[in-house]
Amino acid sequence: MRVLAIGAHPDDIELQCGGTLALYAKQGDEVYAAVATNGDMGNYDVEPERLAAIREAEFREACAVMGAAPIWMGYPDERLVPTLEHRLAFVDVIRRVDPDLVITHGPNDYHPDHRYTGQLVWDALPLAGVASLKTAVPATSRQVTLYYMDNTGGVGFQPTEFVDITDTIEKKKEALGRHLSQVRIFRQLMDVDLLDLVETVGKFRGYQAGCRYAEGFVKVEAWYRGLSRRLLPEGGRASLFEYKAAEDGGGEP
């Protein structure tokens, strides 16, 4: 199976679905991570051109940790808008991968780059399979299932499906930790520890899902995109009670 995650900024994918991507890779699936903008506006104390190069290098390191092939789109940070030019660029990313499913931002996310990335993915998906729409990459032969990933901090997001990432939470944190420039600036400006954030949200979603750590998703229901089978990975199967028993000396879950 081929999986494509498309995020707005170089750390968004790691924050919201890094554990799931690492789990796909662990299971032997082909995983691709695309980032729309270059993150050049994210630090007040680093010039944008230099910061863009730093953020790209960090993103590629994080992808190597998750087991994902990186796709760097390179649009300016904070200025992504849903133009026809951008829509067709997203069509080409989808066509290049020809994925079984796509994961991206939902429509109620807090940042305009997030929301517009999600809209561009939503608008590009049906066009990716239109053979008469000629772009640099040939059309796909199917309509692709779309999932929205969680919002930062889980604010205003109600998952309809969960992935148990207990086995890959450390990979998720390791991948996010490669974004040193972003981790530093969040701590300096907002007193936010991003690694603690994913630990906390992962535990919260885990309580909802009945496992130790989880990531939440919403499957987008749309004409011609429904499936009779689950595409998200199953992950670990042990319950919180089984993990607690293992910790208390009752054996491995």
Side-chain angles (χ1 to χ4, degrees):
M1 186 162 67
R2 285 187 296 276
V3 179
L4 171 63
I6 305 179
H9 304 115
D11 61 330
D12 289 333
I13 290 170
E14 295 84 346
L15 277 165
Q16 311 304 351
C17 65
T20 297
L21 296 190
L23 188 57
Y24 274 122
K26 184 179 179 182
Q27 294 177 173
D29 295 309
E30 294 181 39
V31 179
Y32 299 83
V35 61
T37 76
N38 61 15
D40 64 350
M41 296 284 113
N43 294 40
Y44 69 93
D45 56 353
V46 182
E47 288 299 314
E49 184 176 353
R50 178 167 171 258
L51 182 58
I54 291 171
R55 298 300 304 276
E56 181 178 0
E58 291 173 342
F59 168 68
R60 293 184 183 280
E61 288 184 17
C63 285
V65 172
M66 293 186 293
I71 299 173
W72 183 258
M73 299 181 73
Y75 289 110
D77 190 10
E78 310 296 329
R79 286 158 285 178
L80 186 69
V81 291
T83 64
L84 179 59
E85 175 190 350
H86 290 163
R87 186 192 303 175
L88 294 178
F90 276 68
V91 166
D92 271 351
V93 168
I94 295 165
R95 286 179 170 182
R96 280 171 56 192
V97 176
D98 190 17
D100 293 278
L101 80 157
V102 173
I103 300 170
T104 193
H105 300 280
N108 71 330
D109 212 318
Y110 82 100
H111 196 290
D113 285 347
H114 294 192
R115 296 194 301 274
Y116 289 143
T117 294
Q119 181 179 335
L120 284 162
V121 171
W122 172 246
D123 292 344
L125 276 175
L127 302 186
V130 178
S132 296
L133 181 66
K134 306 297 184 183
T135 68
V137 186
T140 62
S141 60
R142 54 186 169 169
Q143 292 295 319
V144 181
T145 299
L146 177 64
Y147 285 88
Y148 291 141
M149 59 190 178
D150 214 338
N151 294 342
T152 305
V155 177
F157 190 85
Q158 296 296 324
T160 57
E161 294 186 38
F162 294 93
V163 175
D164 181 347
I165 62 163
T166 304
D167 290 341
T168 55
I169 182 66
E170 295 305 321
K171 280 283 186 185
K172 176 186 175 87
K173 290 193 290 186
E174 183 184 351
L176 181 59
R178 298 303 174 97
H179 292 275
L180 292 174
S181 64
Q182 191 76 334
V183 170
R184 175 182 68 84
I185 209 69
F186 264 74
R187 186 177 287 116
Q188 278 186 351
L189 295 182
M190 293 181 282
D191 195 25
V192 170
D193 183 339
L194 289 180
L195 299 179
D196 180 68
L197 173 67
V198 297
E199 173 87 13
T200 301
V201 174
K203 281 186 175 180
F204 172 63
R205 294 304 188 199
Y207 278 117
Q208 292 179 307
C211 58
R212 166 103 9 132
Y213 293 98
E215 289 175 339
F217 299 88
V218 169
K219 180 178 176 294
V220 179
E221 302 295 343
W223 167 250
Y224 223 64
R225 312 229 187 128
L227 289 171
S228 59
R229 62 188 177 90
R230 175 182 165 100
L231 284 181
L232 292 176
E234 293 295 335
R237 302 301 298 171
S239 70
L240 285 170
F241 300 105
E242 291 172 303
Y243 280 115
K244 184 65 169 65
E247 285 182 347
D248 292 341
E252 290 295 324

